[in-house]
Amino acid sequence: MEYNFREIEKKWQQRWVEQKTYKVAEDDTKKKFYVLNMFPYPSGAGLHVGHPLGYIASDIYARYKRQQGFNVLNPMGYDAYGLPAEQYAIQTGQHPAVTTEANINRYREQLDKIGFSFDWDREVRTCEPGYYHWTQWAFQQMFGSFYCNSCQKAQPISKLVEHFAQKGTEGLDVAQSEELNFTADEWNAMTEKEQQETLMNYRIAYLGETMVNWCPALGTVLANDEVVDGVSERGGFPVVQKKMRQWCLRVSAYAQRLLDGLDKIDWTESLKETQKNWIGRSEGAEVQFRVKDSDMEFTIFTTRADTMFGVTFMVLAPESELVAQLTTAEQKEEVEAYLDRTKKRTERERIADRKVTGVFSGSYAINPFTGEAVPIWISDYVLAGYGTGAIMAVPAHDSRDYAFAKHFGLPIIPLVEGCDVSEESFDAKEGIVCNSPRRPHPSLPQGEGVKTSAIDGQNNSLPSLAEGQGEGLVLNGLTIKEAIAATKKYVKEHGLGRVKVNFRLRDAIFSRQRYWGEPFPVYYKDGMPYMIDSSKLPLELPEVSKFLPTETGEPPLGNATKWAWDVQKGEVVDNTLIDNVNVFPLELNTMPGFAGSSAYYLRYMDPQNDNALLSQKAAGYWQNVDLYVGGTEHATGHLIYSRFWNKFLYDLGVSMKDEPFQKLVNQGMIQGRSNFVYRIKDTNTFVSHGLKGQYDVTPLHVDVNIVSADVLDVEAFKAWRPEYNDAEFILEDGKYICGWAVEKMSKSMFNVVNPDMIVEKYGADTLRMYEMFLGPVEQSKPWDTNGIDGVHRFLKKLWGLFYSRTDEYLPTDVPATKEELKCIHKLIKKVTGDIETFSYNTSISAFMICVNELIQLKCRSTEVLRLLTTLIAPFAPHLAEELWEMLHSDGLPVTSVCDAKWPEYNESYLVEDTVKYTISFNGKARFTLDFPADADNATIESTVMADEQSQKWIEGKTPKKVIIVPKKIVNIVL
RNA sequence: GCCCAGAUGGCGGAAUCGGUAGACGCGCUGGUCUCAAACACCAGUGGGGUAACUCCCAUCCCGGUUCGACCCCGGGUCUGGGUACCA
């Protein structure tokens, strides 16, 4: 009987469905294990061979854990909202729901062929009301919460309102957009609208006026991680900066917790590093600068407090509110021209063109340490969104300030002993501080009302600072680190500013001007947003006549005619009924892609629950994800957002764990292996790869599916495209050899390999094992169908242990021999260890070696074959089920191999009788000798010394040293 | 620019603690079977010299530590990824 994979796979896939083999439920008698894949966006192109890589890896692990007795949750679903379906809808009028559904069905069909152990009863789709109900609910909870810094936790906004009513902002330590100060009386005197607007400053989901990445071509805003090199990640359209009122999530409030949490989870160091950089914690100081001839003051942030004596100018971001206040009348025109110019530049232009630009505001700031008046400039190298949007420039020790100073001829004052700043700035934080304090700089006038900090000649007297500011500061002689600390302390003690930690992580912009996303459960009354009653959720996405923005530039939901909220009835009603008394307009924006993917892992725990995101019981049992498998491209998007989202839900008591994904494995990308043919220029003649050097040729991509082992199927090529019908070929050795290259797998390179085709030709088990055999899961590697025969051959060999070529069923109840047991126990040890470390490729090698050995040994033992079948079940589940069934044809009750207990190896079978030692002289290996496994060092040494071959190498010398490494090597140093 | 990861045969990749390279598979070469091809099976396969045991050279480059280095340390080259005026 042949290994008929088609029949076997069909049979078992059917049986798994019928018997609901992979259905899981909470079971208090078993320990849980939660395996999760990053759910796919169902694109129109279907799956290629790279997509299932991670799913196969996690499926193997899930099956392995199940065999170890764990209750394994291994769900799958679809991230169903997204731009491509909407773009397609705009072009064709086809409703995104329709295309999405069709794509999902295609994905499902493809996935089902591969034999995953998913519990499909738990499937989620982010675009379904039953799912996005809870996305909307979470948003409402964020709207109704603020973040308390002192208790490090989200709190109900009502607590804050109470605090304001009693104490105003006094004693408040909370996350906020800007620092507000008001008294209880002032709060109580505010109108409803004023109070609501004030609360926006604190809510975790808030409506904020922010600079956004506006993509005119897509007609929407994009999050920072959706913008790559100044163009949109999807489509590659230009992006400009624009100020808009948008929903935002106060992710920044959680910055410290997001950073600290990284220490508690089992992710790769490089991914943690990426997140650390993205969060970007920096410790520094905020220092106040007075404006000369004015009572104005402004604050800057610096991490280099030690460079206070090197400040020679100040710079404001063009978008800073200070610009208008500090621009003098005579500079006004020039400043406005500059602002206009910078506003017009797209993000991309700014990146491409790093010219130094800037304009003088006309005002001066007074350095509180030197009393000098330094000019205030405006330049786009300072960002409005970071720190305070204003900096003190120290050209000697910051390369950007240096470039600016050189360009505009501003003074440069070095502050580190022996540093040379004639050509470039000295940015390193090492060396000994000098010039602090120092003599006044001749080109920097003294500010009014501030005493001089002059040092006369060699007199090292302290500089006197602004009146009432106490003792001066001496940094000279300190290391930079010490100087930073000393200055911070001084700043704090003298009320010049405060010590401050800043984060690079920004709040997430949560509005998208799109149709195909979750609608906000929000209506507007008097210009202020209100949440619709949570008992009325979900608020379903309305139908629209077209998917483009309206003529007035409103988002696509502006096209909906039934998109108003009747507060009395608690339902969506026709827009014509809007009276702003009982019926109000609904929000027209929708939520971004990451909204639906931020808590889906929680929903899998209890996917059909209509009363809550999930029950406390389900949450208590499943806790969090034990193993999360997905691509590294989500490092600064999804993996930040969902950690934030989970922490918020944790604060609410909904999620049980502070971190959602305990262990994370990043699967590598599968690249395509493209093939090329070489057309001789201006002809229809193609020359084989080895001879192309003799002609002037154009390489052309050729469909990899008509190439086998780099040999072109010439007839198939002629049939591929009409223009090649009469193509001619110059062959080598009678074959047309193609060139190849590793590229991204994509249609345009004709290198897409479809898993269905592989399954059809070789079977799912071969596909699964081959994908794992290609190399380590974490590594990117090219797909090369050529190697697949080896794995397929192995499965046939495995089958051959059960059926001879003459269709004789081989296994019998003969006792296993010592060699067979040794062989199989070695395998148990190897495979168990490999699965734990995701080294599936080496496990598969071990399987091949073991099966070959068993064939050599003519193994017939059911005992051994049962163990072998158990071990291979996670890798090749269909075949294993079939073999398992055959092994139980003796009348024993047949259960699925999925529940076959994972075996433990017995060390006693693995013990070797003798051990090989390599004998080396002066580190050069010469020969080997066998010793009994329990021989001691003294015996080994004396035997080696007496050995004839050794004597040849020793040549009568007395060895200086003899090193015996257990079971490996004897080295004799002469 | 900064941060991270990596570099081993013709190819994908092995090598647990530093233990004397190249597991396993592909490809290639030769053989068996066949009218022939495919499949299958057997043998060989890092490079170089030799009739041969054996020997020499080989894990990106240079240097170091060690009896011994793909592995540890220092310097450099290249490739991939992240990030980009974050003060």
Side-chain angles (χ1 to χ4, degrees):
Chain A
M1 198 155 49
E2 282 279 292
Y3 166 42
N4 189 337
F5 58 85
R6 285 195 190 88
E7 226 163 78
I8 292 170
E9 290 177 0
K10 204 174 134 202
K11 168 180 164 187
W12 287 101
Q13 283 175 9
Q14 262 173 19
R15 201 169 291 184
W16 291 335
V17 172
E18 283 160 16
Q19 304 188 342
K20 292 210 174 268
T21 309
Y22 302 118
K23 191 167 169 60
V24 278
E26 286 107 80
D27 178 352
D28 289 327
T29 65
K30 281 183 174 172
K31 278 173 86 177
K32 69 96 188 186
F33 198 89
Y34 188 175
V35 176
L36 182 66
N37 292 287
M38 290 183 185
F39 62 169
Y41 171 77
S43 83
L47 292 172
H48 68 61
V49 110
H51 293 114
L53 182 83
Y55 308 155
I56 295 169
S58 59
D59 192 60
I60 290 170
Y61 201 81
R63 287 172 180 275
Y64 160 75
K65 277 286 168 186
R66 176 170 173 171
Q67 285 183 254
Q68 280 194 329
F70 287 88
N71 193 26
V72 177
L73 176 57
N74 183 24
M76 183 47 91
Y78 304 97
D79 187 13
Y81 276 132
L83 273 183
E86 180 158 346
Q87 294 292 72
Y88 188 74
I90 291 167
Q91 285 157 20
T92 63
Q94 179 82 276
H95 197 288
V98 175
T99 40
T100 302
E101 165 106 37
N103 292 346
I104 286 177
N105 291 340
R106 167 127 170 78
Y107 264 57
R108 177 63 189 275
E109 211 175 282
Q110 288 184 291
L111 289 172
D112 278 348
K113 286 182 186 165
I114 304 173
F116 293 114
S117 63
F118 296 134
D119 177 1
W120 283 107
D121 289 352
R122 290 174 182 265
E123 182 195 292
V124 300
R125 298 178 185 190
T126 55
C127 65
E128 284 187 347
Y131 180 89
Y132 65 69
H133 182 157
W134 304 105
T135 311
Q136 293 176 336
W137 174 82
F139 167 78
Q140 290 197 337
Q141 299 304 308
M142 290 182 196
F143 181 79
S145 303
F146 71 100
Y147 193 82
C148 167
N149 284 336
S150 42
C151 54
Q152 283 286 294
K153 173 173 191 196
Q155 300 271 310
I157 200 90
S158 55
K159 274 200 177 181
L160 191 66
V161 172
E162 211 173 291
H163 185 106
F164 287 158
Q166 284 166 15
K167 299 182 204 158
T169 52
E170 197 195 320
L172 201 65
D173 184 15
V174 299
Q176 52 197 328
S177 303
E178 56 181 312
E179 207 169 316
L180 300 180
N181 283 300
F182 51 84
T183 63
D185 289 344
E186 283 168 330
W187 167 260
N188 292 323
M190 285 183 198
T191 63
E192 157 77 14
K193 191 178 173 182
E194 283 166 347
Q195 288 189 342
Q196 285 301 322
E197 246 161 57
T198 306
L199 288 175
M200 278 296 178
N201 194 48
Y202 303 95
R203 294 181 188 276
I204 289 180
Y206 64 96
L207 211 44
E209 191 72 36
T210 44
M211 288 304 282
V212 297
N213 303 304
W214 174 253
C215 180
L218 292 172
T220 189
V221 303
L222 298 169
N224 282 341
D225 66 283
E226 291 168 326
V227 182
V228 179
D229 292 332
V231 298
S232 65
E233 190 188 21
R234 290 213 185 258
F237 303 112
V239 172
V240 294
Q241 299 294 303
K242 193 174 164 182
K243 205 157 199 172
M244 283 179 75
R245 197 159 160 83
Q246 300 280 304
W247 283 106
C248 302
L249 302 185
R250 207 175 295 284
V251 180
S252 60
Y254 283 83
Q256 188 62 52
R257 273 172 70 187
L258 288 168
L259 190 63
D260 294 342
L262 292 173
D263 293 335
K264 292 182 280 186
I265 50 182
D266 188 11
W267 294 14
T268 60
E269 282 309 311
S270 63
L271 185 58
K272 286 187 190 180
E273 196 63 35
T274 304
Q275 289 215 338
K276 276 181 200 165
N277 291 341
W278 189 260
I279 295 166
R281 182 190 153 100
S282 63
E283 292 181 21
E286 280 186 354
V287 183
Q288 259 118 37
F289 278 71
R290 286 176 43 204
V291 178
K292 194 186 168 201
D293 302 327
S294 152
D295 47 9
M296 272 176 59
E297 251 186 2
F298 67 99
T299 308
I300 58 92
F301 174 76
T302 181
T303 54
R304 292 292 303 272
D306 60 310
T307 59
M308 292 303 309
F309 292 93
V311 176
T312 56
F313 58 103
M314 312 292 285
V315 188
L316 307 176
E319 300 86 4
S320 168
E321 286 154 22
L322 293 164
V323 169
Q325 299 167 37
L326 295 178
T327 303
T328 56
E330 49 279 24
Q331 289 298 107
K332 196 167 181 208
E333 205 172 312
E334 213 178 311
V335 169
E336 271 171 9
Y338 179 72
L339 295 186
D340 214 43
R341 266 204 315 276
T342 42
K343 210 178 280 175
K344 277 196 194 127
R345 294 172 87 191
T346 65
E347 186 83 339
R348 171 158 239 187
E349 284 162 354
R350 279 180 63 164
I351 290 167
D353 170 29
R354 275 281 165 90
K355 274 206 311 258
V356 176
T357 63
V359 65
F360 178 47
S361 71
S363 297
Y364 290 83
I366 292 159
N367 185 333
F369 288 74
T370 63
E372 288 161 345
V374 292
I376 303 171
W377 287 70
I378 297 153
S379 172
D380 67 357
Y381 84 91
V382 174
L383 305 175
Y386 185 76
T388 60
I391 62 154
M392 61 178 217
V394 185
H397 302 291
D398 182 287
S399 54
R400 297 152 305 181
D401 297 345
Y402 187 88
F404 195 85
K406 280 272 170 179
H407 189 260
F408 289 105
L410 297 158
I412 297 166
I413 305 171
L415 302 171
V416 175
E417 278 180 18
C419 73
D420 174 17
V421 293
S422 57
E423 291 300 322
E424 55 180 4
S425 59
F426 182 82
D427 289 16
K429 283 191 198 177
E430 46 202 51
I432 303 297
V433 176
C434 64
N435 274 338
S436 310
R438 58 168 169 79
R439 281 191 217 98
H441 194 276
S443 67
L444 297 172
Q446 292 296 301
E448 258 170 58
V450 177
K451 285 190 185 169
T452 171
S453 68
I455 306 168
D456 291 324
Q458 296 304 305
N459 178 2
N460 224 2
S461 68
L462 302 176
S464 51
L465 293 153
E467 225 161 340
Q469 289 180 339
E471 294 298 306
L473 178 68
V474 181
L475 301 174
N476 290 339
L478 300 178
T479 64
I480 292 195
K481 234 178 151 184
E482 290 163 348
I484 291 173
T487 316
K488 276 189 189 168
K489 190 164 166 247
Y490 186 91
V491 163
K492 200 159 81 182
E493 284 171 1
H494 292 81
L496 301 175
R498 58 175 172 172
V499 173
K500 177 87 198 279
V501 175
N502 259 337
F503 291 94
R504 207 192 78 115
L505 184 71
R506 309 293 165 79
D507 288 348
I509 293 163
F510 202 59
S511 299
R512 294 292 182 277
Q513 293 68 46
R514 308 297 300 187
Y515 172 72
W516 192 230
E518 298 86 349
F520 282 88
V522 170
Y523 65 88
Y524 284 87
K525 177 175 156 187
D526 196 14
M528 289 306 291
Y530 288 83
M531 295 296 125
I532 69 171
D533 193 305
S534 66
S535 67
K536 303 296 179 190
L537 295 179
L539 177 67
E540 293 197 29
L541 187 65
E543 291 305 321
V544 291
S545 51
K546 61 186 185 101
F547 303 105
L548 281 168
T550 65
E551 269 113 49
T552 53
E554 284 178 326
L557 290 191
N559 293 316
T561 52
K562 192 184 172 190
W563 195 236
W565 187 250
D566 187 321
V567 178
Q568 295 296 316
K569 291 189 195 152
E571 62 181 39
V572 178
V573 295
D574 221 78
N575 293 2
T576 51
L577 299 173
I578 293 172
D579 57 8
N580 290 312
V581 179
N582 282 321
V583 180
F584 301 94
L586 282 158
E587 168 75 56
L588 299 181
N589 287 299
T590 55
M591 298 185 193
F594 68 82
S597 59
S598 286
Y600 74 110
Y601 55 91
L602 290 172
R603 188 63 179 168
Y604 278 137
M605 297 177 189
D606 195 6
Q608 268 102 43
N609 194 330
D610 288 333
N611 303 313
L613 170 55
L614 76 167
S615 69
Q616 286 290 291
K617 183 172 164 254
Y621 184 75
W622 296 111
Q623 298 277 320
N624 63 351
V625 176
D626 295 286
L627 173 67
Y628 197 25
V629 178
T632 174
E633 66 272 19
H634 297 108
T636 54
H638 163 63
L639 287 174
I640 290 271
Y641 297 130
S642 64
R643 286 182 65 220
F644 152 76
W645 201 286
N646 182 74
K647 282 175 191 298
F648 172 74
L649 293 176
Y650 175 74
D651 289 350
L652 258 54
V654 173
S655 173
M656 295 294 155
K657 288 276 177 87
D658 192 31
E659 283 293 336
F661 313 120
Q662 190 53 44
K663 181 179 170 73
L664 186 129
V665 170
N666 285 122
Q667 94 267 25
M669 282 230 301
I670 294 270
Q671 294 140 313
R673 188 179 186 278
S674 311
N675 276 114
F676 296 93
V677 290
Y678 302 92
R679 186 172 64 197
I680 298 173
K681 282 207 172 128
D682 305 320
T683 69
N684 205 11
T685 304
F686 295 82
V687 59
S688 185
H689 179 258
L691 306 171
K692 71 177 163 65
Q694 301 164 25
Y695 304 87
D696 187 10
V697 296
T698 315
L700 298 167
H701 278 96
V702 60
D703 189 346
V704 292
N705 294 301
I706 57 170
V707 177
S708 171
D710 291 335
V711 177
L712 182 70
D713 181 337
V714 171
E715 291 311 312
F717 180 73
K718 284 183 179 174
W720 185 39
R721 295 195 155 179
E723 66 262 38
Y724 300 146
N725 285 344
D726 52 354
E728 293 184 26
F729 302 89
I730 300 174
L731 308 176
E732 45 186 325
D733 303 332
K735 293 177 199 161
Y736 188 95
I737 311 290
C738 299
W740 62 274
V742 172
E743 296 173 307
K744 190 176 160 15
M745 198 173 270
S746 92
K747 268 185 182 168
S748 62
M749 315 239 191
F750 302 108
N751 60 7
V752 174
V753 181
N754 187 309
D756 306 351
M757 281 179 41
I758 304 286
V759 170
E760 181 54 35
K761 198 166 169 198
Y762 299 97
D765 288 334
T766 301
L767 172 72
R768 290 170 62 104
M769 291 197 89
Y770 185 56
E771 292 229 3
M772 295 301 104
F773 185 66
L774 275 176
V777 177
E778 298 92 335
Q779 205 171 298
S780 287
K781 59 238 157 191
W783 177 267
D784 181 2
T785 307
N786 290 331
I788 199 164
D789 291 307
V791 171
H792 191 61
R793 214 169 285 151
F794 156 73
L795 290 178
K796 283 203 261 189
K797 276 187 190 172
L798 173 60
W799 181 260
L801 278 171
F802 290 75
Y803 275 100
S804 73
R805 284 187 217 176
T806 52
D807 279 0
E808 184 191 352
Y809 182 67
L810 301 171
T812 61
D813 273 335
V814 291
T817 66
K818 209 179 155 195
E819 287 86 0
E820 288 165 8
L821 286 169
K822 184 176 168 185
C823 176
I824 199 76
H825 280 264
K826 226 162 64 185
L827 184 68
I828 298 170
K829 186 176 182 179
K830 173 78 179 146
V831 173
T832 308
D834 281 351
I835 291 182
E836 290 293 355
T837 56
F838 295 87
S839 309
Y840 299 137
N841 55 332
T842 52
S843 308
I844 294 170
S845 297
F847 275 116
M848 291 174 173
I849 295 166
C850 178
V851 166
N852 275 336
E853 265 181 56
L854 292 179
I855 290 171
Q856 292 290 311
L857 295 168
K858 297 198 189 323
C859 175
R860 297 284 179 274
S861 157
T862 357
E863 183 193 346
V864 171
L865 294 176
R866 265 194 201 133
L867 285 171
L868 180 61
T869 305
T870 310
L871 290 174
I872 208 156
F875 298 87
H878 311 85
L879 176 57
E881 290 277 26
E882 184 72 15
L883 299 179
W884 193 246
E885 193 181 52
M886 287 175 354
L887 288 167
H888 288 83
S889 58
D890 51 8
L892 284 166
V894 182
T895 51
S896 168
V897 75
C898 298
D899 294 312
K901 193 173 175 306
W902 191 261
E904 281 178 26
Y905 62 90
N906 186 335
E907 198 71 56
S908 67
Y909 293 123
L910 305 179
V911 179
E912 305 277 347
D913 301 341
T914 59
V915 177
K916 268 196 195 329
Y917 280 78
T918 302
I919 317 302
S920 86
F921 297 88
N922 290 337
K924 296 244 174 198
R926 298 301 172 186
F927 59 93
T928 60
L929 281 180
D930 285 339
F931 288 94
D934 55 355
D936 60 19
N937 283 5
T939 316
I940 294 168
E941 187 177 334
S942 58
T943 313
V944 171
M945 288 307 169
D947 186 79
E948 210 178 299
Q949 292 179 59
S950 300
Q951 285 305 317
K952 196 180 110 200
W953 290 101
I954 294 169
E955 291 173 324
K957 281 180 263 186
T958 315
K960 278 186 207 152
K961 210 187 321 183
V962 179
I963 297 147
I964 302 175
V965 177
K967 300 183 181 178
K968 290 282 160 99
I969 191 162
V970 178
N971 186 52
I972 298 156
V973 186
L974 299 173

